[in-house]
């Protein structure tokens, strides 16, 4: 696809009005605005539905004589409507944000305080983990990913768009090149934004890359390297959790992707608060297959749902008691050549007219414990809660209590 590539000056501020999609990955960012809204239900045959949508995208291009992009949000539960748009209003440009003082952003080698917010202790979440462990013990399930959320009010008179723009700037500075920083607006005008460490499908000239993460450990300033080494080599629970995800993706792509390369062992992936086990899987897509189709062949993986998927999703619905909507779904874009990038909607927030929701989950497998999974989700929540300080009325201690995990 041909898009405008602008060599814009680096700036410490985002645009005055956020586009409908901004996705910063690597050293580039893509912004897309407006276009025809699609709300397809992708289940029960998501790959076939994706193929139909791609055919429609190419038909629109032929009819208008202009290159178009398909972009937007795909829900965790594919039985719910997606929020996708087709537009020719697209800009691809060098990534524009940097630390305002010119100092290099904090690297992955320097852990932030990874901690569970003291004001967000959640006994109900611990009970949910215990229920999951009972199901795992019965042999019906191998893994369940259970999440919890924190809802915070917007200050009176605060415009959601301004809060989104300010938070987006903070995330872009903090995460620099280490994550996909995203901001997408759904059909109800709510903003979904965050810094996702997990790429589900990146396609360029037919080459596919997916980077599943599963198995996590909160980072600490003390003995951080030792803890990382334990996660990579000695944590049987986390290595098993990661293996389930890699097996799922390998089975989904085997016989479909050419030259499939699945490393036998994971590597460490660092964010400022977490260590993750990650495996970079690559291959070559058949001619005519798009990034959207590849992503939907994989999604949802056991990294955000569980295994078996149907049974895990049913239990998630019972225990969480609400739709995840686009949390743990996909955000990204695809062009008519099939190139594109789709990442998980994680490590972020949903900003509505009156409130902000922050959500985080943890994978539960045999060997998990209610306390450990509660602490892990607390560490993940604390990343976004700290970024919201000064934008929302967060009480002292809400964004992390170092005593909770000994950070």
């Amino acid at each position: 696809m041909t898009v405008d590539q602008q060599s814009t000056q680096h700036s410490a501020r985002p645009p005055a009005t956020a586009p409908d999609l901004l996705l910063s990955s690597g050293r580039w960012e893509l912004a897309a605005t407006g276009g025809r809204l699609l709300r397809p239900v992708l289940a029960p045959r998501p790959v076939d539905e994706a193929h139909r949508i791609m055919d429609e995208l190419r038909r629109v291009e032929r009819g208008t004589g202009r290159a178009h992009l398909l972009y937007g949000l795909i829900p965790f539960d594919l039985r719910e409507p997606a929020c996708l748009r087709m537009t020719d209003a697209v800009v691809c440009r060098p990534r524009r944000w940097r630390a305002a003082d010119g100092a290099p952003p904090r690297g992955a080698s320097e852990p932030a305080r990874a901690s569970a917010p003291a004001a967000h202790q959640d006994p109900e979440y611990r009970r949910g983990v215990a229920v999951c462990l009972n199901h795992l013990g019965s042999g019906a399930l191998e893994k369940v990913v259970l999440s919890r959320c924190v809802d915070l009010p917007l200050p009176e008179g605060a415009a959601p768009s301004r809060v989104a723009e300010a938070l987006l700037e903070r995330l872009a500075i903090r995460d620099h090149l280490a994550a996909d920083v995203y901001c997408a607006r759904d059909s109800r005008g709510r903003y979904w934004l965050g810094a996702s460490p997990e790429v589900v499908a990146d396609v360029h000239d037919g080459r596919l890359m997916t980077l599943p993460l599963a198995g996590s450990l909160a980072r600490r300033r003390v003995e951080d390297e030792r803890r990382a080494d334990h996660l990579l080599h000695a944590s049987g629970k986390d290595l098993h959790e990661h293996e389930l995800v890699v097996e799922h993706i390998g089975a989904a792509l085997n016989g479909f992707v050419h030259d499939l390369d699945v490393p036998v062992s994971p590597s460490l992936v660092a964010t400022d608060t977490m260590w993750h086990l990650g495996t970079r899987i690559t291959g070559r897509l058949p001619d005519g297959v798009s990034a959207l189709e590849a992503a939907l062949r994989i999604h949802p993986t056991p990294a955000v749902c569980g295994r078996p998927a149907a049974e895990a999703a049913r239990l998630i619905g019972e225990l969480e008691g609400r739709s995840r909507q686009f949390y743990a779904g996909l955000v990204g874009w695809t062009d008519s050549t099939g190139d594109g990038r789709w990442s998980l909607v994680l490590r972020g927030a949903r900003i509505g007219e009156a409130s902000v929701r922050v959500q985080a989950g943890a994978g539960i497998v045999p060997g998990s414990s209610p306390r450990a999974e509660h602490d892990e989700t607390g560490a993940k929540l604390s990343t976004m809660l700290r970024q919201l300080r000064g934008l929302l009325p967060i009480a002292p201690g809400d964004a992390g209590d170092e005593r909770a995990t000994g950070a």
Side-chain angles (χ1 to χ4, degrees):
M1 175 178 179
T2 302
V3 296
D4 296 326
Q5 293 192 349
Q6 300 179 353
S7 298
T8 55
Q9 295 293 318
H10 286 279
S11 170
R13 296 206 50 84
T17 302
D20 291 310
L21 172 70
L22 183 73
L23 181 64
S24 296
S25 56
R27 297 187 179 278
W28 292 86
E29 66 181 23
L30 180 142
T33 305
R36 173 184 165 192
L37 175 64
L38 307 175
R39 301 193 71 230
V41 175
L42 298 168
R45 300 176 65 87
V47 175
D48 290 347
E49 185 65 16
H51 188 77
R52 185 195 67 77
I53 293 170
M54 292 304 300
D55 283 346
E56 176 65 10
L57 178 67
R58 298 179 183 110
R59 187 194 67 78
V60 168
E61 286 194 347
R62 290 193 298 269
T64 62
R66 290 182 58 84
H68 278 64
L69 194 80
L70 178 77
Y71 71 94
L73 294 156
I74 293 171
F76 166 75
D77 186 345
L78 296 179
R79 296 172 300 178
E80 298 177 3
C83 178
L84 301 172
R85 291 180 173 89
M86 294 181 184
T87 188
D88 60 359
V90 184
V91 175
C92 185
R93 58 201 173 204
R95 196 166 184 166
R96 297 171 302 131
W97 284 290
R98 65 180 178 186
D101 60 2
R106 179 167 56 210
S109 61
E110 181 187 350
R113 294 183 181 222
S115 52
H120 298 118
Q121 296 298 311
D122 190 345
E124 190 62 32
Y125 182 78
R126 292 192 185 94
R127 285 192 286 270
V129 173
V131 171
C132 291
L133 289 170
N134 287 336
H135 281 268
L136 294 173
S138 71
L141 286 169
E142 295 181 80
K143 178 181 178 180
V144 181
V145 180
L146 192 65
S147 73
R148 61 185 177 113
C149 65
V150 175
D151 290 313
L152 299 166
L154 280 180
E156 185 176 354
S161 61
R162 293 300 183 186
V163 175
E165 289 159 11
L167 180 57
L168 182 60
E169 177 184 4
R170 292 183 179 188
L171 290 172
I173 292 173
R174 179 182 67 84
D175 283 281
H176 193 49
L177 307 181
D180 280 8
V181 175
Y182 63 89
C183 179
R185 188 157 40 200
D186 67 19
S187 59
R188 295 170 57 182
R190 300 173 302 182
Y191 294 90
W192 297 77
L193 70 165
S196 177
E198 190 159 353
V199 180
V200 175
D202 180 89
V203 176
H204 180 69
D205 290 339
R207 297 295 304 180
L208 167 70
M209 185 277 291
T210 181
L211 179 61
L213 306 181
S216 304
L217 190 65
R219 301 190 67 184
R220 297 179 181 176
R221 293 183 182 275
V222 178
E223 297 186 333
D224 192 51
E225 291 185 5
R226 183 189 63 79
R227 288 168 60 80
D229 186 71
H230 173 80
L231 177 67
L232 183 60
H233 298 293
S235 178
K237 172 257 184 188
D238 290 289
L239 290 166
H240 174 62
E241 180 183 345
H242 187 78
E243 183 181 10
L244 292 177
V245 179
V246 173
E247 285 180 356
H248 166 89
I249 294 176
L253 298 181
N254 188 35
F256 169 72
V257 171
H258 306 299
D259 304 324
L260 182 64
D261 180 21
V262 183
V264 296
S265 300
S267 302
L268 285 172
V269 176
T271 68
D272 66 340
T273 60
M274 303 295 298
W275 285 111
H276 300 283
L277 296 177
T279 296
R280 182 184 176 93
I281 299 170
T282 60
R284 181 168 52 84
L285 293 178
D287 291 343
V289 175
S290 69
L292 176 63
E293 293 163 86
L296 289 174
R297 186 172 285 270
I298 296 169
H299 177 71
T301 74
V304 294
C305 182
R307 184 164 132 172
E311 289 79 358
R314 178 189 59 76
L315 186 58
I316 288 168
E318 290 179 4
L319 295 176
E320 294 184 2
R322 60 186 174 272
S323 168
R324 287 182 170 182
Q325 301 174 0
F326 297 113
Y327 168 75
L330 304 177
V331 59
W333 61 273
T334 303
D335 68 20
S336 63
T337 72
D339 285 359
R341 188 173 178 98
W342 295 89
S343 297
L344 282 174
V345 180
L346 294 176
R347 305 298 193 277
R350 185 197 74 192
I351 302 178
E353 285 298 319
S355 65
V356 175
R357 170 167 290 180
V358 181
Q359 193 162 352
I364 301 158
V365 296
S368 295
S369 74
R371 178 177 178 179
E373 306 312 320
H374 185 277
D375 287 351
E376 179 179 325
T377 53
K380 293 172 178 176
L381 287 169
S382 71
T383 301
M384 184 58 56
L385 292 172
R386 279 196 304 274
Q387 296 302 314
L388 287 165
R389 273 184 170 167
L391 303 177
L392 300 179
I394 301 176
D398 283 8
D401 180 349
E402 61 189 79
R403 296 169 297 176
T405 61

